[in-house]
Amino acid sequence: MATAEQIKALIKCYAEHDDTRFYRVALQLAAEQARKGHKNVARELRQLVDEAKAQNAVVQPTRGPVPITQPRGELEGVLTASFPKARFTDMVLTPEVERSLKRLLKEHSNGERLRHHGLSPRRKILLAGPPGTGKTMTARALAGELNLPLFTVRFDGLITRYMGETAAKLRLVFDAMQKQRGVYLFDEFDAIGAQRAAQNDVGEIRRVLNSFLQFLEDDASTSLIVAATNHVEMLDQALFRRFDDTICYENPDAQLAAEMMKNFLAPFDLDEIDWDELGNLAEGMNFAEIARACEDAAKDMVMDDRAQLSTSDIRMALQERQRKPTYSPRSNRT
């Protein structure tokens, strides 16, 4: 029989139209039935998957929004556009972050009602926290939940060495927010949001920040503006009152780490995993590093042609990731 996690994974894939993962989980079930000696069931499952793939190769129904055209002209090197499929169910969030994001979605789902009473849903959001804690993923999930395109601001195309040109490009971005509703992500926002009184302050960047503050203050579009930073302490204090909400992220505790690993590895047989041990081991690592460790463990299982994951598989992958230079050891945590 399928495990509860596998059943949940199948339902989730179906609801999100994620055919690739749906087929992968179904083939996992077929392999499990074959190992138990249920050859006919396994063969029928594989046949159903093959038939479904063949049918989809012929008929591809339109799902979700129609793909948008990438920005052209002066915006071509400044914005990149995508339609993410991510949802908040794909993420493991702290209760505080989850409450803030659910409130944000609720306000936008009731936007017309709020505007009828002279109120507006919050649109300008600052996400702050260490690297790998889910800030960029949150922007993707917001776009997915609201069925909006995600426009990511490319600072390498925005910031130039010519006086006034960066501010002019920034104005184009805010003009685009009026013309095309979407989620506009300013990732690594401290690149332009650093304190104006900093010792290493550059005059042009100070002018860019002043322009950003003014544009943000004047913006009356229906787009969502999401700024994400790993260094909230570097941001100019004048920024905070311009945002409708600040959401703070942190590395997961043992319980959240274990929950994330269960979610990531749901397609596999997890009956004999000691989640308490693995959660304690992963505590303090960021979500991105935990996800990569889970992926490493799953790859090793598949390449070694083994039937199921073990606690030791995931433990070894976590320990290997902890030895990487991108991971801060427990002794250096603050």
Side-chain angles (χ1 to χ4, degrees):
M1 295 292 292
T3 67
E5 293 299 326
Q6 289 169 326
I7 292 173
K8 288 191 289 185
L10 283 172
I11 295 172
K12 181 179 176 183
C13 295
Y14 177 82
E16 297 176 2
H17 308 299
D18 189 345
D19 293 343
T20 301
R21 192 178 179 204
F22 185 90
Y23 297 145
R24 188 168 70 240
V25 176
L27 290 173
Q28 287 278 337
L29 290 172
E32 183 178 342
Q33 292 301 312
R35 288 193 298 271
K36 293 179 178 179
H38 304 154
K39 304 294 184 183
N40 290 335
V41 175
R43 184 173 61 253
E44 290 173 2
L45 283 172
R46 286 193 292 265
Q47 184 177 348
L48 287 170
V49 170
D50 290 340
E51 289 174 356
K53 286 182 177 179
Q55 184 176 356
N56 279 345
V58 176
V59 181
Q60 283 291 348
T62 301
R63 289 171 173 170
V66 177
I68 58 173
T69 303
Q70 289 290 332
R72 295 288 184 262
E74 293 177 285
L75 283 174
E76 184 173 0
V78 179
L79 289 177
T80 57
S82 62
F83 259 121
K85 292 183 178 179
R87 297 291 188 272
F88 287 128
T89 53
D90 298 324
M91 305 177 67
V92 177
L93 304 165
T94 64
E96 294 79 8
V97 171
E98 186 174 12
R99 279 195 298 271
S100 296
L101 295 176
K102 283 184 175 179
R103 173 62 185 263
L104 179 62
L105 290 180
K106 184 177 181 180
E107 289 189 8
H108 279 269
S109 65
N110 290 276
E112 288 302 319
R113 184 183 303 177
L114 291 174
R115 281 185 279 271
H116 180 73
H117 291 276
L119 303 169
S120 300
R122 58 189 72 189
R123 299 188 302 103
K124 304 166 186 178
I125 310 299
L126 176 63
L127 309 180
T133 48
K135 300 184 297 298
T136 304
M137 182 65 174
T138 294
R140 294 177 59 81
L142 277 172
E145 294 281 0
L146 296 171
N147 202 28
L148 291 174
L150 174 66
F151 295 96
T152 303
V153 179
R154 294 178 49 187
F155 286 117
D156 60 332
L158 177 68
I159 299 175
T160 74
R161 59 194 177 97
Y162 299 107
M163 183 174 295
E165 186 172 331
T166 302
K169 288 187 175 183
L170 192 59
R171 177 182 290 278
L172 290 174
V173 173
F174 277 85
D175 288 344
M177 295 176 190
Q178 293 278 355
K179 298 173 183 176
Q180 171 67 67
R181 184 171 183 245
V183 177
Y184 287 77
L185 172 62
F186 292 82
D187 210 354
E188 300 184 6
F189 179 63
D190 39 278
I192 64 171
Q195 298 178 35
R196 287 167 289 185
Q199 292 183 350
N200 60 348
D201 181 28
V202 179
E204 177 65 359
I205 294 299
R206 188 188 313 129
R207 285 187 287 272
V208 172
L209 176 56
N210 288 336
S211 297
F212 182 88
L213 289 168
Q214 189 61 54
F215 294 151
L216 194 64
E217 183 83 21
D218 296 341
D219 176 68
S221 69
T222 56
S223 294
L224 274 79
I225 302 172
V226 179
T229 179
N230 300 334
H231 304 287
V232 67
E233 74 283 352
M234 293 176 57
L235 297 185
D236 194 277
Q237 292 301 305
L239 281 165
F240 292 96
R241 69 179 180 85
R242 261 78 170 193
F243 286 100
D244 298 326
D245 201 357
T246 299
I247 303 176
C248 297
Y249 291 69
E250 57 188 21
N251 289 332
D253 59 17
Q255 182 178 350
L256 275 179
E259 187 177 343
M260 183 201 168
M261 287 185 278
K262 290 179 188 177
N263 188 45
F264 190 94
L265 296 169
F268 302 98
D269 187 346
L270 306 174
D271 288 343
E272 300 181 4
I273 303 297
D274 185 343
W275 295 113
D276 289 338
E277 176 192 340
L278 295 175
N280 288 326
L281 179 60
E283 184 176 8
M285 295 174 68
N286 64 49
F287 287 113
E289 287 299 305
I290 295 172
R292 293 188 184 104
C294 290
E295 187 175 26
D296 291 343
K299 287 179 180 178
D300 287 340
M301 183 204 72
V302 172
M303 291 187 294
D304 293 343
D305 197 24
R306 287 183 281 113
Q308 64 181 156
L309 280 166
S310 67
T311 302
S312 62
D313 291 330
I314 307 171
R315 182 197 308 121
M316 289 171 59
L318 288 170
Q319 291 171 339
E320 181 63 27
R321 283 289 167 183
Q322 289 173 346
R323 288 192 287 267
K324 300 288 184 182
T326 54
Y327 174 74
S328 299
R330 292 171 186 256
S331 59
N332 292 336
R333 293 181 199 149
T334 57

